[in-house]
Amino acid sequence: MSDTITRGSSGLAVRCSRALLSPWSRFSVLVAVLAGAAVVVSLYEPQRVLTEGMPARIGGGAALVLFALAYGLCAVAFVPRPLLNLAAGALFGAQFGLAAALAGTVLGAGLAFGLGRFLGQEALRPLLRGRWLTAADRQLSGHGFRSMLAIRLFPGVPFAAANYCAAVSRMGWAPFLLATALGSVPNTAAYVVAGSRAAAPTSPVFLLALGFIVLTGLGAAAVAWRKRHQLRGR
């Protein structure tokens, strides 16, 4: 009798663990985590850093590290990166602001990639149907570094969307992080420089940074338009 009860309880535990670790259960956890992060960000309004700055008791390297950590968490929670990059430049200047922003960018991308890979990949891969989705998955899976580098250099795809799409594909960690670090430099630098010179909006440096942002945006739109017509032709 006791053996029967033991086997029944162990079987129930196995079934419960399988249900909790199933792809759709993990995907539900991912949705809950992202929704909770978005709510927290909306309540605490991290954009106030732009006007209020870092706490007075925190300075030097500690401020840079703290900002990079906050940047990464905010990027996962869908806070727009241009806002965070402007804040980095306004708070730390061009050089240190760029270092903090790039560190936060890679951290945020890595966190999002890890969450999407562990919690969402198995549930979402069977849903990759249709011409556009399968073409994007083949590109990301087969040419991970090159594809992600192009996405980061031409900021037409939202940062969070690119992270989670890469996580659902079969792209590896190393090409994803390396392409993110390298490809994010130009656009991030432009926003950081613009933030560092925001007090002088007519200065040549600010105007050059603003012009670069506009040109990359137009380039991203042109590339997206061309790709769309190529897919339609196929």
Side-chain angles (χ1 to χ4, degrees), residues 1-223:
M1 185 62 151
S2 60
D3 292 340
T4 302
I5 295 175
T6 302
R7 285 196 298 269
S9 53
S10 63
L12 178 62
V14 170
R15 289 194 296 272
C16 289
S17 63
R18 286 178 179 175
L20 291 174
L21 295 176
S22 67
W24 282 106
S25 294
R26 285 184 285 168
F27 179 69
S28 300
V29 173
L30 175 62
V31 173
V33 168
L34 296 180
V39 170
V40 169
V41 166
S42 64
L43 291 176
Y44 285 94
E45 299 180 350
Q47 63 269 24
R48 290 181 300 176
V49 174
L50 276 171
T51 56
E52 298 177 4
M54 298 290 289
R57 63 181 178 276
I58 301 177
L64 287 172
V65 172
L66 181 61
F67 183 87
L69 292 174
Y71 186 117
L73 295 175
C74 288
V76 173
F78 307 109
V79 175
R81 284 185 60 249
L83 181 65
L84 298 172
N85 293 332
L86 290 170
L91 292 174
F92 304 110
Q95 294 181 349
F96 291 112
L98 178 59
L102 285 177
T105 295
V106 176
L107 174 62
L111 289 173
F113 187 85
L115 286 171
R117 177 60 54 90
F118 179 70
L119 297 176
Q121 187 188 45
E122 291 185 24
L124 295 179
R125 280 203 65 80
L127 303 180
L128 294 177
R129 300 170 185 172
R131 184 172 56 187
W132 285 30
L133 289 177
T134 54
D137 179 62
R138 281 198 305 269
Q139 187 68 24
L140 290 172
S141 300
H143 309 282
F145 177 81
R146 184 177 68 189
S147 301
M148 187 53 55
L149 186 65
I151 289 172
R152 300 308 191 195
L153 286 173
F154 295 97
V157 180
F159 182 73
N163 295 334
Y164 293 111
C165 287
V168 174
S169 75
R170 301 192 187 281
M171 183 186 301
W173 278 89
F176 173 76
L177 293 177
L178 183 58
T180 296
L182 295 177
S184 299
V185 171
N187 198 259
T188 302
Y191 277 100
V192 170
V193 170
S196 67
R197 297 300 182 96
T202 59
S203 65
V205 174
F206 180 86
L207 294 176
L208 283 173
L210 186 62
F212 182 83
I213 293 169
V214 173
L215 287 176
T216 54
L218 293 175
V223 170

